[in-house]
Amino acid sequence: MATGYLYHEVFGWHDTGSSAGLFVSDPAAGVQPFVHFENAETKRRMHELIVISGLIDRLERIRPRHASEEEILRVHTREHLERIKAESRLPKGGDAGDGISPFGKGAYEIATLAAGGVITLVDAVVRGNVTNGYVLVRPPGHHAVAGNGMGLCIFGNLAIAVKHAREVLGVGRIAVLDWDVHHGNGTQSAFYDDPTVLTISLHQDNCFPPNSGGVGERGEGPGFGYALNVPLPPGTGDGGYLYAMSEVVVPALRRFRPELILVASGFDAGAMDPLGRQMVTSEGYRTMTRQLMDVADEVCDGRIVIAHEGGYNPIHVPYCGLAVVETLAGAEPFGDPLLPIMAGQGGGVLLPHQKSVVDQVAAFVADISVVTDVSA
Ligand SMILES: [Zn+2]
């Protein structure tokens, strides 16, 4: 069956202004205006590489729709939704909530199209129109919490899609793997007490948000044990990430037996990213995708929805993204000219201090069991 693919040109029109990377430009304070790290180019170039490489011909294009207010409100407060909507009408837009997440006029409509885009692909996968797929959306979503946006995210795209799958499509158990270099705090917080949604975040230790995503964050109440966090030390590359996949992610999915797997796919664990200090290559992302597909074949008929999050190097991100989508579609590698340079930098080796973090979390996997009562 086919692999779905969703991108819309308007995602490139989400305007994050002239910040100097993350910092609001301020000439009086010596901060020269530049472009925000979260700008259109990483995603636009990934889409164009998917087209130029010919991969697009093997994909089933899916058109996004806007998420409704009702769908947004399954995760967010009315106050947050109304504030974003109001600021989105202002001539110069507003900020998602933390002062480093600016948006231009009309961002509300683009953000609801991003959230609705993930819903659309979840619909297509659950209804069997496609086996798996990639949603190349913008703005990202995994940091947004119920009452606030943060970390360049406005609405929790994936969390909203999980709620849709649970409440509308009747999917019982859902797993969310987050391989963005930053902690998937927003997605985690939406399901922290829910044993029917397993969240697993592989991220750089204490990168963003500060003091978030430690090994000890494991869920609460009935959801205890159904949040896993692997805070990998800076400098972790393919060696550490693939070890985390094989020792934590794959066994956890085997025990949990999700009916649907979602991935918060950031390429900011890539070796050239300005906001992360990890060393993952496009081949690393390719192998992680393969590992995930193998376990998905075992537990949920291959049903995987991968949704784009971060990744801020406009040269490297497209090759990492291409590798993931090629793998989903069973296509041969087009090639990554950066790979020989990165492969020689040593990230392929698993180091002892990386292994010890993964092993610590791997011990928690035994506490996961298949939840059969999904009525909660
Ligand atoms: Zn990120």
Side-chain angles (χ1 to χ4, degrees):
M1 239 185 350
T3 290
Y5 174 67
L6 185 150
Y7 176 74
H8 193 291
E9 282 70 11
V10 83
F11 294 141
W13 295 16
H14 172 52
D15 181 4
T16 48
S18 57
S19 297
L22 286 177
F23 308 100
V24 176
S25 59
D26 185 350
V31 184
Q32 184 178 354
F34 192 51
V35 289
H36 200 289
F37 281 126
E38 204 297 293
N39 61 67
E41 288 308 318
T42 48
K43 294 82 178 171
R44 189 183 284 149
R45 289 168 63 98
M46 176 175 156
H47 170 70
E48 293 188 1
L49 187 60
I50 286 170
V51 173
I52 297 297
S53 67
L55 179 61
I56 194 77
D57 297 333
R58 300 185 57 146
L59 304 173
E60 177 98 15
R61 284 297 292 269
I62 293 173
R63 293 174 60 84
R65 65 165 174 83
H66 292 276
S68 67
E69 286 197 7
E70 182 189 355
E71 289 167 334
I72 302 288
L73 293 173
R74 289 191 184 119
V75 168
H76 295 286
T77 61
R78 166 65 71 180
E79 290 72 22
H80 176 53
L81 184 150
E82 294 297 343
R83 185 181 67 79
I84 297 295
K85 197 195 283 187
E87 290 188 13
S88 171
R89 292 192 189 114
L90 299 173
K92 293 188 184 304
D95 187 279
D98 59 358
I100 59 165
S101 309
F103 58 75
K105 190 175 196 301
Y108 177 79
E109 284 73 22
I110 302 177
T112 56
L113 196 68
V118 185
I119 290 174
T120 312
L121 188 54
V122 164
D123 275 335
V125 167
V126 172
R127 290 178 177 144
N129 301 332
V130 294
T131 304
N132 56 32
Y134 198 97
V135 259
L136 180 45
V137 291
R138 182 169 175 260
H142 72 150
H143 293 310
V145 295
N148 230 356
M150 61 183 286
L152 328 178
C153 303
I154 296 177
F155 297 129
N157 304 329
L158 265 170
I160 291 165
V162 168
K163 292 275 189 185
H164 172 80
R166 283 293 322 272
E167 295 180 21
V168 178
L169 302 176
V171 179
R173 287 180 306 279
I174 299 167
V176 182
L177 168 64
D178 189 317
W179 64 40
D180 188 283
V181 82
H182 305 106
H183 179 223
N185 63 296
T187 321
Q188 175 179 288
S189 69
F191 306 104
Y192 208 49
D193 61 355
D194 184 347
T196 68
V197 180
L198 172 68
T199 61
I200 310 173
S201 182
L202 313 182
H203 49 267
Q204 182 184 319
D205 185 27
N206 204 18
C207 187
F208 184 86
N211 304 311
S212 183
V215 165
E217 292 180 20
R218 299 183 59 194
E220 65 186 10
F224 183 79
Y226 295 88
L228 293 173
N229 283 289
V230 188
L232 294 160
T236 303
D238 294 358
Y241 273 82
L242 297 181
Y243 186 69
M245 287 293 294
S246 65
E247 299 303 308
V248 174
V249 176
V250 170
L253 294 174
R254 282 203 178 111
R255 285 192 68 88
F256 184 68
R257 304 197 71 78
E259 294 157 45
L260 174 68
I261 298 171
L262 279 76
V263 180
S265 176
F267 296 116
D268 39 14
M272 295 178 77
D273 197 89
L275 292 183
R277 293 294 171 267
Q278 305 296 49
M279 300 177 72
V280 180
T281 68
S282 59
E283 275 308 298
Y285 283 110
R286 186 187 306 280
T287 309
M288 287 161 71
T289 307
R290 185 70 254 165
Q291 287 174 300
L292 195 65
M293 290 172 73
D294 287 345
V295 69
D297 284 344
E298 280 177 44
V299 303
C300 60
D301 297 325
R303 286 199 285 266
I304 302 174
V305 170
I306 306 187
H308 201 89
E309 294 284 351
Y312 304 99
N313 184 301
I315 318 294
H316 192 215
V317 164
Y319 293 106
C320 296
L322 183 71
V324 168
V325 184
E326 282 172 343
T327 309
L328 284 178
E332 290 299 312
F334 176 73
D336 170 4
L338 306 175
L339 193 58
I341 300 165
M342 294 180 188
Q345 293 180 342
V349 179
L350 172 69
L351 298 175
H353 67 303
Q354 301 162 357
K355 181 175 185 298
S356 72
V357 175
V358 175
D359 289 346
Q360 205 180 334
V361 185
F364 300 155
V365 170
D367 296 336
I368 297 171
S369 57
V370 175
V371 178
T372 49
D373 176 14
V374 295
S375 58

